[in-house]
Amino acid sequence: MRNAAALDAIASPAWATEVGQFNLEINVPPRTLDGDSLAALETELRADLNAADARARTIGSRLVMVGILPTLAEHDVAEDSMSANERYKVLNEQIFAARGEDMRIEIDGAEQLLTHTDSITPESACTSVQLHVQVSPTRSRTTGTRPSPSPPCRSRWPPTPRTCSAGSCGTRPGSRCSSRPRTPARTS
């Protein structure tokens, strides 16, 4: 599947490209998390997925929700399989300019993989469902209380230099902190 053709067929502003040409993204409007809102979200997503799949089939494509795509080969995650969206090209260039070297990918398990890549396209092999929760930074809606103080600088993102208030990142309180938080491992 080439996502640009599928997006043309789907013709909905809720749908967008993702890094790999074989991926799509759907965005749904925000909602409150009360009552049967999660059941309503499921109903809305199922209807949107079914409608998009029906439209994608008109051009010989199908939508499939999977975690890690089992049929990918190395050529499927090469730079030329990146979506045409300019943001991915810029993101790719900036990441590798900052790294100064190719990325090593090592998976150790029942099936092992060790490879190097010079693009971000292998990220497209691992798909996900991401739910984002929006909360007030000054007051909790459910309790009416003020939130607890900000966590130490180690847990903040983006990892920009800041003044450390707790000293838990290994620096003295009040000194500049540029430590990066540990990123969680992906699971499938």
Side-chain angles (χ1 to χ4, degrees):
M1 175 175 92
R2 298 294 182 226
N3 57 17
L7 286 172
D8 287 344
I10 293 168
S12 168
W15 291 84
T17 59
E18 255 300 337
V19 175
Q21 289 186 31
F22 48 83
N23 286 358
L24 295 174
E25 174 180 293
I26 182 173
N27 294 287
V28 295
R31 65 198 70 233
T32 58
L33 294 178
D34 55 7
D36 67 347
S37 62
L38 293 179
L41 173 64
E42 177 186 15
T43 300
E44 179 183 342
L45 282 173
R46 186 73 269 158
D48 287 345
L49 288 167
N50 289 344
D53 185 51
R55 291 182 189 124
R57 287 174 185 236
T58 66
I59 62 161
S61 292
R62 295 199 56 193
L63 300 186
V64 179
M65 290 184 59
V66 297
I68 295 179
L69 301 173
T71 58
L72 290 180
E74 196 166 345
H75 68 273
D76 294 318
V77 291
E79 191 169 349
D80 62 347
S81 65
M82 187 181 302
S83 291
N85 188 323
E86 185 67 17
R87 81 180 221 190
Y88 301 118
K89 180 181 177 186
V90 170
L91 181 64
N92 187 66
E93 290 169 355
Q94 290 180 349
I95 286 174
F96 282 90
R99 286 183 61 86
E101 63 184 6
D102 286 357
M103 186 183 318
R104 176 185 165 137
I105 300 173
E106 182 175 2
I107 299 174
D108 189 23
E111 295 183 41
Q112 297 183 2
L113 173 70
L114 176 59
T115 189
H116 292 79
T117 183
D118 61 356
S119 81
I120 61 172
T121 52
E123 289 287 331
S124 61
C126 186
T127 62
S128 65
V129 172
Q130 300 174 14
L131 301 177
H132 302 270
V133 178
Q134 182 177 357
V135 296
S136 169
T138 58
R139 190 168 291 278
S140 167
R141 288 181 69 182
T142 57
T143 64
T145 60
R146 295 207 173 274
S148 58
S150 296
C153 55
R154 170 164 269 161
S155 62
R156 293 189 186 175
W157 193 259
T160 55
R162 62 186 81 245
T163 302
C164 180
S165 59
S168 63
C169 63
T171 61
R172 291 187 340 266
S175 61
R176 297 291 281 175
C177 174
S178 61
S179 62
R180 292 179 181 260
R182 294 180 62 142
T183 54
R186 288 196 171 143
T187 58
S188 58

